[in-house]
Amino acid sequence: MHVRTTSPAPCRSGDDTVTEAILLVGGKGTRLRPLTVHTPKPMVPAAGVPFLTHQLARAKAAGVERVVLATSYLAEVFEPYFGDGSSLGLSLEYVTERDPLGTGGALGNVASRLRSGPDDPVLVFNGDILTGLDIRALVATHTSSGADVSLHLTRVEDPRAFGLVPTDADGRVTAFLEKPQTPEEIVTDQINAGAYVFRRSVIDAIPLGRPVSVERETFPGLLAAGAHLQGMVDSTYWLDLGTPQAFVRGSADLVLGRAPSPAVPGRCGDRLILPTASVAADAKLTSGTVIGASAVIGAGARISGSAVLDGAVVEAGAVVSDSLIGAGARIGARTVVSGAVVGDGAVVGADNELRSGVRVWCGAVLPAGAVRFSSDL
Ligand code: GTP
């Protein structure tokens, strides 16, 4: 374990306040490749800033003063960007796992760095969740119910892809169920939304030195041991940014104000153009599109619901929708990119057509006219 500390200061917490948080930011983000080849998922820009900025800003707005970042994959990039956290009004500490310890192991690994008292609440967030969750309400639920752990639960239309978390009439969690295989197994539409309040002593009890999954081991184990796990259903905005499609949507929703964040660096109507970007006068940017620093958008280009990252170039007449164009990538003239991801530094020549689900790897080069879409196939 590699630990960096900032100067110690006691943490305090009132009844419904939480002053300390752990953010889990060490995952490999495999579903988001190639965006996560050079950049860990929480550092991929959403609405103009690394996604993690939005979570930190929301934690701060809810009263959090100190955040421990549990890092592993590409751990070295977090501290140079966020430093001691003072620019966000927070105190940040970085703890790096030499080998990934999983979501529960990562919590146990940072337990000794917490300053809260044994019974104090500690906020825990997955580093890839975009949500309008009322954090103070989750803390209030935790305090008033006297729970060991309180979980934000959200309702989804199709729960088949998720583990289910049924609760009783008082909101107490009754089970953690694996992804349902049959209609009979869908006993609830409530799922774990990836934000929790832990009693600090519960984090202290997580086994050290081996991988632990908080979802598959810690929570079911606590329930079996008779611990009190409280669910709070909050059906506000919620999106798991684990896939490229979700990430692009989340970025656009931040720009459009559908997803709340104090950290969106200013928008103009339904688009966000960072100050050093260059956009042709007749280019059309809509539906939450963000244009990163030093990016260049050519004449007549049309871009909707997309994120064009720093230094990328979209040439004249290109049409980009619901897509993510990586840092320094180039989209050739008249090329169509729809529902696709172009990795950092990739070059897509003129007159190509990239459609849903296509992922162009970082640094790849597609010659002009190399890819066309045919609905006849
Ligand atoms: P996929 O590989 O695409 O599933 O993404 P992921 O690696 O981020 O995994 P997942 O979405 O299940 O992780 C949920 C949250 O926990 C994310 O914020 C991850 O960064 C974090 N996380 C997952 N595994 C670890 C780990 O071993 N250590 C730490 N510190 N965080 C982790």
Side-chain angles (χ1 to χ4, degrees):
M1 185 178 78
H2 178 56
V3 177
R4 289 194 198 97
T5 57
T6 52
S7 56
C11 274
R12 57 187 165 71
S13 64
D15 268 353
D16 288 348
T17 58
V18 63
T19 57
E20 200 163 38
I22 303 170
L23 259 68
L24 296 169
V25 293
K28 291 201 170 101
T30 47
R31 288 170 296 155
L32 206 51
R33 284 183 190 156
L35 294 174
T36 46
V37 171
H38 304 303
T39 311
K41 183 164 48 177
M43 294 299 286
V44 177
V49 291
F51 174 66
L52 182 56
T53 320
H54 301 292
Q55 290 189 314
L56 292 170
R58 292 203 78 244
K60 162 78 182 158
V64 169
E65 297 168 359
R66 181 166 183 274
V67 180
V68 182
L69 293 172
T71 68
S72 177
Y73 177 67
L74 298 175
E76 64 281 4
V77 305
F78 291 91
E79 194 172 6
Y81 187 88
F82 289 107
D84 64 2
S86 51
S87 62
L88 290 165
L90 289 165
S91 164
L92 296 184
E93 180 162 347
Y94 304 84
V95 180
T96 301
E97 298 143 43
R98 198 160 293 146
D99 298 309
L101 290 171
T103 46
L107 295 179
N109 192 48
V110 306
S112 64
R113 317 309 306 174
L114 297 173
R115 297 189 190 141
S116 302
D119 286 327
D120 284 344
V122 176
L123 181 69
V124 174
F125 248 86
N126 278 358
D128 53 359
I129 297 299
L130 178 59
T131 176
L133 167 70
D134 183 343
I135 296 171
R136 289 181 195 272
L138 185 64
V139 180
T141 298
H142 181 78
T143 309
S144 62
S145 65
D148 296 298
V149 183
S150 300
L151 297 86
H152 171 208
L153 307 179
T154 191
R155 296 189 202 282
V156 289
E157 265 176 37
D158 182 3
R160 282 175 301 177
F162 302 93
L164 307 183
V165 187
T167 47
D168 67 14
D170 298 322
R172 197 163 167 156
V173 174
T174 54
F176 289 93
L177 305 172
E178 293 291 328
K179 288 178 191 168
Q181 306 291 324
T182 62
E184 296 75 48
E185 286 174 359
I186 304 179
V187 296
T188 177
D189 57 359
Q190 297 171 182
I191 64 159
N192 176 353
Y196 323 106
V197 176
F198 276 70
R199 185 194 298 277
R200 188 246 160 103
S201 57
V202 174
I203 298 173
D204 289 330
I206 294 173
L208 296 177
R210 67 169 174 86
V212 177
S213 161
V214 80
E215 301 87 353
R216 286 191 295 278
E217 182 177 338
T218 309
F219 290 154
L222 283 167
L223 205 56
H228 180 167
L229 287 95
Q230 187 73 18
M232 188 189 86
V233 180
D234 182 333
S235 300
T236 174
Y237 185 97
W238 181 85
L239 194 61
D240 171 352
L241 300 193
T243 63
Q245 292 74 17
F247 201 95
V248 168
R249 207 176 108 204
S251 177
D253 284 347
L254 281 161
V255 173
L256 294 169
R258 290 181 187 149
S261 167
V264 176
R267 62 179 80 88
C268 173
D270 62 349
R271 62 200 186 153
L272 191 161
I273 303 169
L274 293 198
T276 53
S278 160
V279 179
D282 63 348
K284 200 167 174 225
L285 312 177
T286 54
S287 307
T289 288
V290 53
I291 308 297
S294 304
V296 177
I297 310 300
R302 280 181 289 142
I303 309 181
S304 75
S306 297
V308 177
L309 301 191
D310 292 358
V313 176
V314 177
E315 293 182 3
V319 179
V320 179
S321 59
D322 304 321
S323 295
L324 205 148
I325 311 301
R330 176 174 284 268
I331 306 300
R334 298 171 302 281
T335 279
V336 174
V337 183
S338 172
V341 175
V342 177
D344 295 344
V347 177
V348 180
D351 301 308
N352 277 294
E353 207 176 333
L354 307 180
R355 298 280 180 182
S356 300
V358 168
R359 299 183 192 211
V360 179
W361 214 251
C362 299
V365 178
L366 289 181
V371 183
R372 305 297 285 181
F373 177 80
S374 168
S375 53
D376 301 338
L377 291 176

